Amino acid sequence: SAVETLSHMRPLRGEKLMIVSNGAAPAALALDELWLRNGKLAVLSEETRDALRQALPVGVEIANPLDLRDDASSEHYQQAVNILLNSQDYDALLVIHSPSAAAPGTESALALIDALKHHPRGKYVTVLTNWCGEFSSQEARRLFSDAGLPTYRTPEGTITAFMHMVEYRRNQKQLRETPVLPDSLTANTSEAHALLQQAIDDGATTLDTHEVSPVLRAYGIHTLPTWIAADSAEAVHIA
C-alpha cells in the first residue's frame, strides 16, 4: 500500500532491482509486473555470482531473479542476503517467501531481519519484502513492520510499490534539472529590470496579469493580450 511504502521504504539511489525468492512462480509474477511497468532488473557482477555459488547449494541457478528453490532454509536466505548486501550491483532488494516446510515464514523473516540488523550496509539498502500467504505470513509481516521494513502480500503489489518510488525519484530528478532556454530566445534584460524596478518603487509586491506581460515580452515570451474592464458592460464591449 501507499502508506506502507511511504512510512517504511528507504529512498532509492537508482532503479535496478534484485529479486530473491524460494520459488520460481512468485519470482516470475514479480518479474512480469516489473517488465509491464518498464522497470529495470539488476545484473550481478561475476564476483557476486562466485560468492553466491560457493555459499548456496549445488543446483541453485545464480541469476536475477535468484531462485533459492522451495527447499531453501532460512539459513540459505540469510547467506544469500549477506552476500548481496556486500554487492553494489543493485539499487533495491526484493525478498519473496512462499510458505514452505523447509523455511517457515516467521523463521525466515527473523533470519532476514537479523541479517539486515548486523550487516554494515543493512540500514542503507532499500529492501522490500513479500511473504505470501494470507494467514501463515501474518506474524512475519508484523515482524517486518516492527523492524521498519516495507512488506506486501503479493509479488505484483510489491513491484507496484517499488515502481511508485522509481517514478517519484524520476520526477524529483526532473525537477532538479536546470531548464535549457531555446537558442532563438531574445532577452532585453534592461527593459525587464526597469519594469520590475518601477513596480518595486511603486510598492508592489505582486504583479497582475497585464503587468507581467511586458516583462515576459522583454524576454521574448509572447502572451495572450489582456484588457482591463471597469465593469461588466465594458467587458462585453471588449469581448
Side-chain angles (χ1 to χ4, degrees), residues 4-234:
E4 187 72 21
T5 303
L6 292 173
S7 60
H8 291 316
M9 191 182 294
R10 296 184 178 95
L12 292 175
R13 63 177 185 180
E15 302 182 11
K16 297 176 294 183
L17 181 65
M18 177 68 203
I19 302 173
V20 178
S21 176
N22 67 336
L29 290 172
L31 192 57
D32 286 347
E33 189 69 18
L34 186 69
W35 294 147
L36 182 65
R37 294 178 173 272
N38 297 316
K40 297 179 181 179
L41 202 62
V43 177
L44 296 177
S45 66
E46 196 57 43
E47 180 182 358
T48 302
R49 289 173 177 270
D50 287 342
L52 289 169
R53 286 192 194 97
Q54 294 175 20
L56 297 176
V58 176
V60 173
E61 182 181 358
I62 307 304
N64 187 11
L66 178 62
D67 179 10
L68 301 176
R69 304 190 309 187
D70 56 7
D71 60 348
S73 65
S74 56
E75 287 77 14
H76 292 148
Y77 267 103
Q78 196 164 28
Q79 289 171 340
V81 169
N82 273 322
I83 291 170
L84 290 171
L85 287 174
N86 291 327
S87 168
Q88 300 282 344
D89 300 333
Y90 61 93
D91 301 307
L93 175 63
L94 165 56
V95 184
I96 302 174
H97 179 276
S98 296
S100 166
T106 301
E107 182 180 318
S108 298
L110 289 170
L112 174 58
I113 293 169
D114 185 69
L116 294 170
K117 181 179 179 181
H118 291 96
H119 196 282
R121 293 187 64 233
K123 62 181 179 180
Y124 301 110
V125 175
T126 302
V127 178
L128 304 92
T129 63
N130 164 222
W131 255 233
C132 303
E134 183 60 32
F135 298 106
S136 61
S137 298
Q138 283 184 349
E139 177 63 14
R141 287 194 287 267
R142 185 192 66 78
L143 290 170
F144 286 134
S145 292
D146 291 345
L149 294 172
T151 185
Y152 306 89
R153 284 177 167 77
T154 66
E156 300 94 329
T158 314
I159 295 297
T160 298
F162 170 69
M163 290 307 299
H164 283 163
M165 292 299 291
V166 168
E167 290 160 8
Y168 174 78
R169 180 179 180 275
R170 290 173 182 172
N171 293 337
Q172 291 299 305
K173 185 178 179 181
Q174 286 184 336
L175 289 173
R176 290 192 294 268
E177 291 178 354
T178 303
V180 178
L181 297 176
D183 295 334
S184 59
L185 185 65
T186 58
N188 186 343
T189 55
S190 59
E191 180 182 351
H193 291 168
L195 291 167
L196 293 173
Q197 188 59 53
Q198 182 61 52
I200 293 171
D201 294 342
D202 292 341
T205 56
T206 60
L207 296 177
D208 290 331
T209 304
H210 67 284
E211 295 170 317
V212 171
S213 295
V215 178
L216 295 176
R217 281 199 300 272
Y219 284 98
I221 301 173
H222 300 288
T223 61
L224 294 174
T226 303
W227 293 272
I228 305 299
D231 51 38
S232 58
E234 188 175 355

